[in-house]
Amino acid sequence: MRYTDYKFHVPEEKIVRLIVNTDAKNEADDQFAIVQALLSPKFENAGMIAAHYGTRHEDSMERSFKELEVIFDKMHFPKENMIFHGAPHAIPDKTTPVVSEGAELIVREAMKDDDRPLFAIFLGPLTDLASALLIPDDGYLDRRRKVSGRRPGV
């Protein structure tokens, strides 16, 4: 999804794909970054991932998800295929992923046949990124290179 209601045009070669991972309900600053990302004509928003935060609320990821829904509703932006549930808690150890819609989105976008660069910003924990790197599959090594920004032979 890309907001384009501007009087100027961003050249296609300047547009980048973006994933935002946010613990939106934790602090008030994330909402500003979310709106900035959604309104930037340079970003093709691939999705927003609701992240968990702290240990005070067991439902912190769900709270962040609901906050993303509020933001999208207030902006009159479609939520379908744009807001994803992230991991509900931290990874249990350094080798075990917490599989979530968010981690799967990162994998899907990283492996997509698209020449535009993919950026992901994390406004909270890195659980979904760590999990995306840990989810085993046939494209595991290629995905690790793409997600980490490394290219084969570099």
Side-chain angles (χ1 to χ4, degrees):
M1 181 199 104
R2 186 162 65 97
Y3 187 77
T4 58
D5 192 17
Y6 291 103
K7 293 185 191 262
F8 59 90
H9 172 74
V10 175
E12 287 298 315
E13 66 273 9
K14 299 289 185 181
I15 296 169
V16 299
R17 297 177 297 141
L18 180 69
I19 295 173
V20 176
N21 184 288
T22 172
D23 55 349
K25 193 62 178 174
N26 191 29
E27 303 146 347
D29 61 333
D30 284 23
Q31 288 82 346
F32 293 102
I34 293 163
V35 171
Q36 178 68 38
L38 288 170
L39 292 179
S40 174
K42 183 177 170 125
F43 297 148
E44 178 71 45
N45 286 284
M48 303 274 167
I49 303 169
H52 66 90
Y53 56 89
T55 55
R56 195 173 77 190
H57 302 289
E58 288 183 20
D59 65 341
S60 63
M61 183 276 298
E62 284 298 332
R63 289 173 182 235
S64 292
F65 187 89
K66 288 177 183 165
E67 185 67 12
L68 282 169
E69 288 182 314
V70 167
I71 294 166
F72 273 69
D73 286 343
K74 288 184 184 232
M75 295 180 75
H76 303 286
F77 283 0
K79 297 179 281 196
E80 189 173 338
N81 297 318
M82 280 304 300
I83 303 176
F84 299 87
H85 291 91
H89 54 77
I91 58 174
D93 57 60
K94 65 181 180 178
T95 61
T96 307
V98 179
V99 180
S100 68
E101 293 174 355
E104 290 171 345
L105 171 69
I106 295 167
V107 170
R108 195 167 51 252
E109 287 296 321
M111 298 307 293
K112 188 182 273 187
D113 186 21
D114 192 325
D115 291 334
R116 297 173 300 173
L118 172 64
F119 291 89
I121 58 173
F122 291 80
L123 309 176
L126 299 175
T127 307
D128 294 301
L129 177 60
S131 294
L133 292 170
L134 290 171
I135 297 171
D137 67 7
D138 292 339
Y140 179 70
L141 290 177
D142 287 337
R143 182 180 70 247
R144 286 195 61 145
R145 286 187 190 105
K146 286 185 178 185
V147 170
S148 68
R150 288 187 240 150
R151 295 192 175 139
V154 177

